[in-house]
Amino acid sequence: GTMSKAPDYRRDQAGADAIVAHFLGCDAAFLADLRARTSLADYASKLQARALRFEAWSGGRLAGLLAVYHDATMGAAYISNVSVLSEHCRQGIASHLLSACLEEARKLALREITRAVERANQGAIALYRRHGFSPLPATEGSRMRMRLQFSQP
């Protein structure tokens, strides 16, 4: 394929419809897993209403989405979703979104951020490890939790 120009990174711009369209353009396995757990429309509305969203846009489409729920009083955040359109995979988008998310978490003075990852998803596990996450011993079937603790300034 031709070298596409770098996506445009934005915050909290996507509406629920754009989020659903994004999910439909993601990897088939990701989509099947998501649909097994929730309704796309309900999940998109919830993310749009309640999550901090780190977005990558390309050609008017939502190419990448990282959504995180945070509880300022608890000083904790949970990454609910990280997804990239199939044709934009392997371009460093997820890593860029994760860096932006962690930078924001530090600004919010959060203590920790967690993410549940499929054990079989070695690529995702490697990505979180590169960004400083460590696996937690607790298990949830096929999923494992990873955590990054921020050292307080």
Side-chain angles (χ1 to χ4, degrees):
T2 56
M3 277 298 292
S4 55
K5 71 179 188 67
D8 187 14
Y9 291 98
R10 299 187 206 149
R11 286 281 309 275
D12 305 323
Q13 300 292 300
D17 290 350
I19 295 173
V20 170
H22 166 80
F23 288 149
L24 292 172
C26 289
D27 173 68
F30 166 86
L31 188 57
D33 180 56
L34 185 58
R35 281 190 151 138
R37 287 184 284 136
T38 185
S39 129
L40 296 188
D42 288 351
Y43 185 49
S45 304
K46 190 174 151 190
L47 291 181
Q48 205 249 332
R50 308 214 339 247
L52 300 177
R53 298 186 316 286
F54 298 84
E55 303 164 355
W57 291 81
S58 179
R61 296 176 73 202
L62 182 59
L65 175 66
L66 185 154
V68 61
Y69 294 115
H70 82 291
D71 182 333
T73 52
M74 295 290 291
Y78 171 73
I79 297 172
S80 180
N81 182 78
V82 179
S83 52
V84 175
L85 291 179
S86 296
E87 70 263 34
H88 287 281
C89 285
R90 314 224 60 78
Q91 293 173 14
I93 292 175
S95 187
H96 191 293
L97 295 172
L98 186 54
S99 291
C101 169
L102 297 179
E103 193 179 312
E104 182 67 14
R106 285 190 183 91
K107 278 187 199 149
L108 294 169
L110 298 181
R111 286 182 304 104
E112 64 172 39
I113 188 163
T114 56
R115 170 73 171 143
V117 189
E118 291 294 323
R119 278 174 204 289
N121 193 342
Q122 292 304 316
I125 292 167
L127 170 70
Y128 295 111
R129 280 188 184 279
R130 279 200 305 277
H131 283 267
F133 285 71
S134 307
L136 289 173
T139 62
E140 299 170 34
S142 67
R143 294 159 80 84
M144 69 185 226
R145 293 178 76 79
M146 297 187 76
R147 177 177 66 187
L148 173 60
Q149 290 179 296
F150 297 104
S151 48
Q152 295 306 314

